[in-house]
Amino acid sequence: MAINFSELATVGVQKITPYQPGRPAEEVAAEFGIAKPVKLASNENPLGPSPLAIKAMQAVHDLARYPDGNGAALKQKIAERHGLDVACITLGNGSNDILEFVTRAFVNPGDEVIFSRHAFAVYPLATLAAGGIPVETAALNWGYDLKAISAAITDRTKVIFIANPNNPTGTWLTETELRPFLENVPDHVIIVIDEAYAEYVTAEKFAGYPDCTQWLDDYSNLLVTRTFSKIFGLAGLRVGYGVSSPELADYLNRVRQPFNVNSLALVAAEAALDDQEHISQSREMNQTGMAYLIEQCEQRGLAYIPSAGNFLAIDFSRPADGLFEAMMQQGVIVRPVANYGMPNFLRVTVGSEEENRRFIEVLDRVSNDV
Ligand SMILES: *Cc1c(COP(=O)(O)O)cnc(C)c1O
């Protein structure tokens, strides 16, 4: 008789819908016979990694040895970057790792975890895997309704996840909005502010966007996560970090694999932090590309959600699955977001100039047919 794994799995895991990653370019190339597909599905950096990061990895020769399980050198660099003590830093195999540490370390079966509708898919995953109860609050203009989140807090609430900016909507919260909210979160709740896209948010365009890594003194229940996967262009290496009070970091580190960040990722991340030019270039490319995509949307009468990230959620006012498929067959991979409660939208990552142009070209070619 076939084993019923569904019954064997924990109650939380039974409820998990697996994460749907963007289609790999190689797979699309093979399936549709496209020489060079354009992948704008996972918010990766079109410039690639910093050359300094590549050079640092090439100098690593002792892969037979375990990495520094403490990640001392990288932590030191991160601590300097944010003006924090090294004891505030927790390293992760991607910032995804940190999001899971929080639920593993703090969520007992039956505890509640709050996040907003249209928020990052990893929050419910991490919650259910730990046996927690996901509590989804309503959105406000596609963004967060902090009043609704406050109202959802109960004695069983353990964690609140907030992405700023949020993925896949690109919406962002200002200091003026976040401060009064945080003041009122009770001490038994860990607040996670996920700043995966923080480096893309420029003060000129997004006045009042806060750097919450600077708020640790005010809230000892605050954890801020950052990643090397987005502007630093190292998504394939899997490295990210959290900053929090040392007390909170101590508990996160208890559930961390002893060698969770590999040797190549450690040196590459260190080098990437030093490459200010690569960061500026990436930011500029994003601004130019975002302006282009917005202009093209407006010319075509397409609505979009204004975005502080490196991606744009475009509203096609009709189910967008067919459009996604048709574009993929023409070698342009974007992200359908029906699983985020946004069936009429496609999320497109801001690519290089050429990639963005190809996206628009292919969109024009197929949009009348589907
Ligand atoms: C991409 C992304 C991350 C980063 O995940 P990594 O595990 O660091 O690659 C985290 N949060 C959000 C909201 C993201 O979009």
Side-chain angles (χ1 to χ4, degrees):
M1 242 200 33
I3 298 174
N4 188 344
F5 287 103
S6 164
E7 269 176 25
L8 291 181
T10 64
V11 176
V13 171
Q14 288 177 24
K15 293 181 193 144
I16 288 179
T17 320
Y19 182 84
Q20 291 174 354
R23 292 281 304 270
E26 295 74 18
E27 203 178 286
V28 170
E31 188 176 336
F32 302 107
I34 308 270
K36 211 169 161 278
V38 167
K39 189 186 173 200
L40 300 172
S42 302
N43 301 344
E44 297 143 335
N45 186 336
L47 263 184
S50 150
L52 299 186
I54 299 196
K55 213 167 127 208
M57 285 189 283
Q58 285 165 342
V60 173
H61 293 298
D62 47 358
L63 288 173
R65 306 273 174 202
Y66 281 100
D68 172 8
N70 212 0
L74 177 57
K75 274 196 199 171
Q76 184 61 43
K77 268 248 147 74
I78 293 168
E80 280 164 23
R81 176 181 189 216
H82 297 290
L84 296 168
D85 195 273
V86 171
C88 298
I89 319 294
T90 306
L91 295 182
N93 189 265
S95 57
N96 197 141
D97 213 16
I98 311 283
L99 304 174
E100 285 178 32
F101 297 164
V102 188
T103 54
R104 288 223 303 277
F106 293 99
V107 176
N108 279 308
D111 285 349
E112 295 167 0
V113 176
I114 305 176
F115 46 84
S116 171
R117 186 156 172 75
H118 317 303
F120 191 39
V122 167
Y123 308 151
L125 279 180
T127 303
L128 289 168
I133 299 173
V135 177
E136 190 183 271
T137 57
L140 185 65
N141 301 325
W142 301 108
Y144 287 72
D145 182 346
L146 293 178
K147 287 206 177 74
I149 294 178
S150 287
I153 298 173
T154 71
D155 291 345
R156 299 306 304 265
T157 306
K158 269 295 177 60
V159 179
I160 300 175
F161 284 112
I162 290 181
N164 195 31
N166 184 53
N167 169 22
T169 57
T171 53
W172 71 98
L173 293 161
T174 62
E175 168 154 12
T176 318
E177 292 166 312
L178 266 175
R179 280 285 189 189
F181 166 76
L182 289 184
E183 295 295 337
N184 285 316
V185 174
D187 284 349
H188 68 272
V189 181
I190 314 282
I191 311 144
V192 182
I193 310 258
D194 177 346
E195 296 187 341
Y197 301 96
E199 294 84 1
Y200 283 111
V201 190
T202 54
E204 310 87 72
K205 274 200 85 175
F206 304 96
Y209 174 77
D211 172 358
C212 292
T213 65
Q214 301 305 301
W215 294 7
L216 300 187
D217 287 343
D218 302 328
Y219 315 102
S220 43
N221 53 345
L222 174 65
L223 168 69
V224 182
T225 58
R226 293 282 185 108
T227 183
F228 289 95
S229 299
K230 303 290 154 61
I231 208 164
F232 295 103
L234 298 173
L237 280 177
R238 314 303 304 126
V239 51
Y241 59 95
V243 306
S244 66
S245 61
E247 294 76 17
L248 176 44
D250 171 31
Y251 282 88
L252 300 175
N253 275 289
R254 291 183 194 198
V255 295
R256 183 177 66 82
Q257 271 186 49
F259 303 102
N260 66 327
V261 182
N262 69 72
S263 306
L264 297 175
L266 286 173
V267 296
E270 257 191 86
L273 282 174
D274 278 339
D275 197 343
Q276 206 47 57
E277 197 183 314
H278 175 261
I279 301 170
S280 313
Q281 257 180 16
S282 304
R283 199 181 285 126
E284 276 161 33
M285 182 180 255
N286 187 59
Q287 283 170 338
T288 312
M290 181 68 87
Y292 169 79
L293 289 178
I294 285 176
E295 183 193 310
Q296 298 299 312
C297 283
E298 285 175 354
Q299 282 177 15
R300 288 160 181 75
L302 288 169
Y304 58 86
I305 306 172
S307 168
N310 65 340
F311 54 88
L312 191 64
I314 303 175
D315 185 357
F316 292 93
S317 309
R318 61 197 148 103
D321 270 12
L323 193 55
F324 159 71
E325 285 290 337
M327 292 193 77
M328 189 161 60
Q329 287 176 23
Q330 301 282 323
V332 173
I333 317 166
V334 295
R335 185 71 78 96
V337 281
N339 56 331
Y340 286 90
M342 302 168 71
N344 292 355
F345 286 78
L346 291 177
R347 189 196 67 192
V348 56
T349 302
V350 178
S352 67
E353 194 181 332
E354 191 199 325
E355 290 170 332
N356 299 333
R357 222 180 304 119
R358 228 171 113 198
F359 164 73
I360 293 294
E361 240 171 63
V362 166
L363 179 66
D364 284 344
R365 204 182 308 154
V366 302
S367 59
N368 285 333
D369 304 333
V370 279

